[in-house]
Amino acid sequence: MAAATALLLPFRAHLHPAQAMLIFVPVIVAIGRLAGVRASAVGAVLAFLAADFVFVPPYYHLTVASPADWITLLVFLLVALSSGLQTGAIRQRERAAVQREREIALLSRLSSRLVSEESIEEMATFIVGEVAAVLGADRAVVFVRAPGDRAALMAQAGGVSCGVAEGAFADWVMRNDKAVGLPLTDDPSIGPHPVSVLVDEALPGIVADGVYLPLQTGECLEGVLYARPLSGVESSPERVRHLIAVANLAAAFLERRRLEDEAAQAAALQESDRLKATLVSSVSHELKTPLAAVTARITGLLDEGETCTPDRVREELEAATEDLHRLDSSIGDLVDVSRLESDAWRPVPDMWDIGELLGTVASRIPVASKRRVRFEVAEGLPSVWVDFRQVVRALSTMVDNALTYAPGADIVVGARALGTDLLVWVEDRGPGVPDEEKQRVFEKFYRGTTSAASSSGTGLGLAIVREIARAHGGRVWVEDAEPRGARFVLSLPLQGVSP
Amino acid sequence: MKSEQSSPPERSPRILVIDDEEQIRRALRSILQARHYTVDLAATGAAGLEAAVDTTPDLIVLDLSLPDMSGLVVCEQLRAWYEGPIVVLSVRDADADKIAALDLGADDYLTKPFSAGELLARIRAHLRRISGAELSVREIKAGDLMIDLAKRVVTVKGQPVHLTRTEFDILAELARNADRVVTSHALLNSVWGPDYVSDTQTLRVHVSHLRQKIEPQGGVSRYILTEPGVGFRFAGDPDIPA
């Protein structure tokens, strides 16, 4: 305004006062455009005074000589004020519209993340960042429910933490389920929201500014959102409404995550209860049976004393050794299944020839059964990228199974390449596996119903095979052999997968 | 029960058993004494190290899980001066320990539970080796395979098989140590010399060629068994399909 006055001063002699005032008007409009309502009003009054002081005779006096100049001056004041205010208001509305757009965009970004799989911490970090950037808070904090109805800080943005006070208010909100520091208003658009109390009512004597909003869904308080202060368009009801909307979305996200976690935990608990029960009964049966047999045989020998022939002693001890082998393999099953399930036995692959894998499998076949097993391996098979011990374990289990379920009959172990896979199979001439059991035989503790041998073993062997196949990116299945019997096939990718 | 060994050795070999479990110590003592071995027992690593100095055993059986110190440490400290065979015992699935023990100079390992027959076979093989009896062995026969160490000739079912010099050396070294693990390290050292002990890939290629020449049809290794991460084991009594 001063610049405009100085600029016009040299031309004072040639200008009618009204003309000078006319030139002030666009200047005031520009001020309103750039600096808002208040600045333009001040500008208008300043222009009025400057016009009176400098351009209306007598110069450099606030008095006005001619009544006509009085009228000119008053009209000028009116015009200056109204045009300044008008442009200022337009500017304010534009800015509010842009802000509203940003806030709505925030809500849409937030809601699109509601169903995402990101962690609570990632979401909380996102929320505080957006509240600070879009709603103009100097400081924003998300607290989540912690054990004992406490509020635990999950993410924060901006500002200096006033730690103790923030924590105290968040705890208070958590316990009382009321917002703190929301402007008291009758605006129905702000509801429904939890009853707000003044800062003083919550924790008398503790100074805190800003707003603490409970993150609440229908039934449960999930956490607290803190923002300080809501700046910008002076904490308009609209901005408060947006903050509440953010809080509601955050609460919905937290609730979804909590319910998911609870459901997953409940399911896991139920499954583990079932498995534990089966495990306990299976373990006690599988461990105690051979133990009981060994105990009976040895105490029997002791009891017979000197009447016992050396042949009979030998026979009993050989039988006891077999029982002990069974005990050892049951323990092995239990150890392996728990190692595989707890991810404590990850495959350590290397390049192996199928011949060396099968050589070790062959060397582990019980002596009494060696003659029953025949190998038919295609020539020139490429090497496979597998964990030696795991694959040998899987194949040995498949061979043992065949020996058990098809007693007396010969067994064929074969291997060939098919596309990008290596297939290794164990084929028997036993009773086979009925279609309805072809999937279930690989479940833990599932025992076939058709065979007399179905009561032996832990019922874990094929589950272990399946776990090992999976860990290698392969699979295992059972199909009917011709003319009868079962063929268990283990398929492993020739190139392997990175574990 | 029938005794496995008929004639007792001239001087009964002395064996030190280091194992913290009373049951295992008692079982091993009765098994070994029945075969006319002199047996000393130690329940801790420290006691074992001391007993080794006092008794200078011909062979040491060492359990890897000891209460006072790791069996691996015991093995390492023994190897600082003790040159006799060390056979380590370990529980199932402690593969890493087994491999570490072999790297530290143990000669062989057995996984619990093992049969008396397995243990005695290993002990006999190691005692035979240190007695130098093997040096005079001219021929080794296993299944259909015959290895003439003096003439450097190998036949399968009576038919001569052409092996390269390296392949023959590998086979001879494995066969001399039949039924026990020969680490890749030891094999490389004995065939190529100490400068090549890390070249396990080359070794595997040679073993693969060797297998193609001597193993029976059907693509399943019967004579040379792979011990993953460790080395190889020659089957002294292989089951060869008819």
Side-chain angles (χ1 to χ4, degrees), chain B residues 8-137:
Chain B
E10 294 152 14
R11 178 188 79 86
S12 98
R14 193 156 192 160
I15 296 176
L16 169 62
V17 175
I18 309 174
D19 196 310
D20 63 322
E21 283 162 86
E22 169 75 22
Q23 292 163 313
I24 301 287
R25 284 201 306 276
R26 271 166 49 193
L28 290 187
R29 183 176 58 196
S30 66
I31 289 168
L32 294 171
Q33 279 178 348
R35 270 76 176 180
H36 310 290
Y37 293 112
T38 306
V39 182
D40 300 292
L41 302 173
T44 64
L49 286 168
E50 208 170 297
V53 175
D54 292 345
T55 64
T56 52
D58 296 293
L59 183 144
I60 296 175
V61 177
L62 169 67
D63 184 21
L64 284 182
S65 60
L66 293 170
D68 56 332
M69 56 205 289
S70 157
L72 294 176
V73 175
V74 178
C75 184
E76 193 174 19
Q77 294 191 8
L78 282 171
R79 266 296 168 252
W81 62 276
Y82 180 73
E83 289 177 349
I86 300 175
V87 176
V88 297
L89 306 180
S90 76
V91 289
R92 198 186 151 75
D93 308 323
D95 294 318
D97 276 359
K98 255 170 357 199
I99 295 165
L102 292 171
D103 281 345
L104 289 171
D107 295 86
D108 208 345
Y109 65 76
L110 273 173
T111 303
K112 291 177 181 175
F114 47 82
S115 71
E118 272 179 279
L119 174 68
L120 291 166
R122 303 285 175 90
I123 288 177
R124 278 197 300 272
H126 286 290
L127 292 176
R128 202 165 54 233
R129 182 170 58 84
I130 57 165
S131 73
E134 277 173 1
L135 295 178
S136 58
V137 168

Side-chain angles (χ1 to χ4, degrees), chain B residues 82-226:
Chain B
Y82 180 73
E83 289 177 349
I86 300 175
V87 176
V88 297
L89 306 180
S90 76
V91 289
R92 198 186 151 75
D93 308 323
D95 294 318
D97 276 359
K98 255 170 357 199
I99 295 165
L102 292 171
D103 281 345
L104 289 171
D107 295 86
D108 208 345
Y109 65 76
L110 273 173
T111 303
K112 291 177 181 175
F114 47 82
S115 71
E118 272 179 279
L119 174 68
L120 291 166
R122 303 285 175 90
I123 288 177
R124 278 197 300 272
H126 286 290
L127 292 176
R128 202 165 54 233
R129 182 170 58 84
I130 57 165
S131 73
E134 277 173 1
L135 295 178
S136 58
V137 168
R138 282 201 47 194
E139 282 186 351
I140 297 171
K141 195 175 180 323
D144 296 330
L145 187 70
M146 175 80 93
I147 307 165
D148 188 326
L149 294 172
K151 294 184 187 159
R152 298 179 65 88
V153 172
V154 174
T155 61
V156 174
K157 289 185 180 172
Q159 299 298 310
V161 178
H162 176 73
L163 297 184
T164 66
R165 184 192 168 83
T166 305
E167 286 161 5
F168 182 88
D169 288 345
I170 292 171
L171 180 61
E173 181 67 15
L174 288 172
R176 277 194 207 102
N177 295 287
D179 293 322
R180 63 181 210 93
V181 178
V182 180
T183 63
S184 300
H185 192 280
L187 204 48
L188 285 159
N189 189 30
S190 83
V191 175
W192 279 276
D195 292 342
Y196 300 86
V197 289
S198 56
D199 202 358
T200 51
Q201 281 311 317
T202 306
L203 176 63
R204 285 181 58 180
V205 172
H206 284 285
V207 170
S208 173
H209 291 161
L210 177 58
R211 276 174 166 151
Q212 282 167 21
K213 292 179 184 177
I214 63 164
E215 295 288 1
Q217 293 296 302
V220 180
S221 302
R222 304 287 187 164
Y223 294 107
I224 301 173
L225 298 179
T226 298

Side-chain angles (χ1 to χ4, degrees), chain A residues 336 351 355-356 359 377 388-389, chain B residues 95 204 211 218-219 221 226 228:
Chain A
D336 285 352
M351 223 46 174
E356 51 190 330
V377 180
F388 191 97
R389 289 183 180 85
Chain B
D95 294 318
R204 285 181 58 180
R211 276 174 166 151
S221 302
T226 298

Side-chain angles (χ1 to χ4, degrees), chain A residues 333 336 361 390-404 426 460-465 468:
Chain A
D333 281 359
D336 285 352
V361 172
Q390 285 195 4
V391 170
V392 165
R393 167 71 160 110
L395 293 173
S396 293
T397 304
M398 288 159 69
V399 171
D400 285 349
N401 252 27
L403 289 168
T404 313
V426 177
L460 292 172
L462 287 174
I464 291 171
V465 175
I468 290 174

